[in-house]
Amino acid sequence: MDEALLEAFRATAYHVCLDSVTWATIRVDLPLPAVLAEAVGARPWAFVTAWNPQARRRPPAENLAAQRELLAALQAQSGVAIHPALGVGTSGWSEPSLFVAGVGVDVLDRLARTHGQLAYVQGEAGGVALLRVLD
């Protein structure tokens, strides 16, 4: 991944919808907002998507189908909490995403790779948001 794309990932605002009126924003290298940390508890968490693999735009219908596959795979995990989310870049770019608590990086790495993602944001309870770059 080139430096410009890496910086774009780091500068993105990762918005999580907790309920019909409550949103929280994750920033790489910062702790989770208190309301989101409370929702996560002691579980590992991640902000993931299946949209636009390899950071290349593709037709909305293909993105929607892939996102549904990702959602189904996450829902198949036990003890998982999933919230709708949206990544918004500084250039105006945005992608529908998912915030998930209770899934480990081994499963998340596999799912992200399956969907052609270059990176995702993840963390552990009480820690900071980390950009996990996949090879």
Side-chain angles (χ1 to χ4, degrees):
M1 178 180 333
D2 68 31
E3 194 60 37
L5 186 54
L6 186 59
E7 183 53 36
F9 275 108
R10 290 187 180 287
T12 294
Y14 299 95
H15 303 293
V16 179
C17 179
L18 292 168
D19 59 41
S20 60
V21 296
T22 307
W23 287 78
T25 301
I26 300 168
R27 295 286 186 171
V28 172
D29 296 330
L30 294 177
L32 287 179
V35 67
L36 199 50
E38 185 178 314
V40 167
R43 299 174 290 180
W45 60 267
F47 189 104
V48 297
T49 191
W51 280 65
N52 300 321
Q54 302 300 308
R56 294 187 181 109
R57 294 197 185 274
R58 70 173 169 190
E62 291 178 31
N63 280 327
L64 285 170
Q67 191 79 342
R68 284 186 191 107
E69 289 174 13
L70 175 60
L71 177 59
L74 290 168
Q75 288 172 327
Q77 304 296 310
S78 63
V80 180
I82 303 169
H83 297 276
L86 183 68
V88 179
T90 58
S91 67
W93 153 95
S94 65
E95 271 180 0
S97 301
L98 300 167
F99 179 81
V100 58
V103 178
V105 293
D106 54 335
V107 172
L108 292 162
D109 282 359
R110 179 179 50 79
L111 290 172
R113 284 186 177 107
T114 295
H115 291 285
Q117 299 303 302
L118 299 173
Y120 64 93
V121 177
Q122 62 85 217
E124 300 290 329
V128 299
L130 302 172
L131 180 64
R132 186 163 176 87
V133 178
L134 303 172
D135 42 49

